[in-house]
Amino acid sequence: MAISDGIGTRVYIGAALNEANRTPSAYVSLTWTEIGGVETVSEFGDDGAVISHTPLATGRTRQRKGAVNPGNITFGCADDPLDAGQILAIAAAATTRLYPIKVVAADGADSNDTDSVVYFGARVLSAKVNRGSSSAVNMRNIVCAIDTTIYEIASVAVSGGS
């Protein structure tokens, strides 16, 4: 894998998940709809809570890692009322169901390599539109609360790299 930038990153959403579809192999086999016009993907990933204890005898706070929260992720995209992925995300925001999300980075070292892929299940909290200004594209921010394990599948050198 090579270092990369965000150019070429693609984001997908699938139909609502059931309990059996929360493994890496199950995610791979799902049918995915690309969310079009994605311009930004926020940071995301597990974040451990701090558990602290300050004994009176020492006055020094001791810290441990507590429960892990996978957090939220936001996709900022050019609002397209005809985009199938945005339509699915808007519909998902009207439910409490869990939806699979796939983020594909264009980070293979060359055309012979696979790209990194991240899979997780999330609840779409909102899909708000921002009509912006006279000199800006109308945007839609899709906010998702990640509610499963995040599976990262690293880029793999396939063969004959250059």
Side-chain angles (χ1 to χ4, degrees), residues 12-96:
Y12 301 83
I13 188 168
L17 282 174
N18 61 40
E19 290 296 323
N21 290 354
R22 296 185 192 185
T23 65
S25 60
Y27 280 116
V28 170
S29 67
L30 294 175
T31 300
W32 297 97
T33 302
E34 184 172 1
I35 298 173
V38 173
E39 183 178 271
T40 61
V41 177
S42 69
E43 71 173 7
F44 65 98
D46 289 339
D47 191 13
V50 175
I51 300 171
S52 61
H53 164 69
T54 308
L56 292 173
T58 64
R60 175 166 297 278
T61 300
R62 302 289 313 268
Q63 299 185 94
R64 302 190 57 84
K65 183 177 178 179
V68 177
N69 182 339
N72 293 349
I73 186 168
T74 301
F75 307 113
C77 46
D79 181 42
D80 181 351
L82 301 178
D83 180 78
Q86 290 184 33
I87 292 167
L88 183 55
I90 292 165
T95 76
T96 59

Side-chain angles (χ1 to χ4, degrees), residues 84-148:
Q86 290 184 33
I87 292 167
L88 183 55
I90 292 165
T95 76
T96 59
R97 303 280 313 269
L98 190 68
Y99 288 82
I101 303 291
K102 174 171 78 169
V103 180
V104 180
D107 63 353
D110 59 41
S111 61
N112 294 306
D113 301 333
T114 66
D115 291 325
S116 297
V117 181
V118 178
Y119 298 103
F120 54 85
R123 299 182 199 287
V124 181
L125 301 178
S126 64
K128 295 179 182 178
V129 68
N130 179 349
R131 295 290 177 221
S133 70
S134 61
S135 59
V137 171
N138 293 332
M139 298 295 289
R140 181 170 299 278
N141 285 321
I142 300 166
V143 180
C144 302
I146 301 171
D147 196 28
T148 67

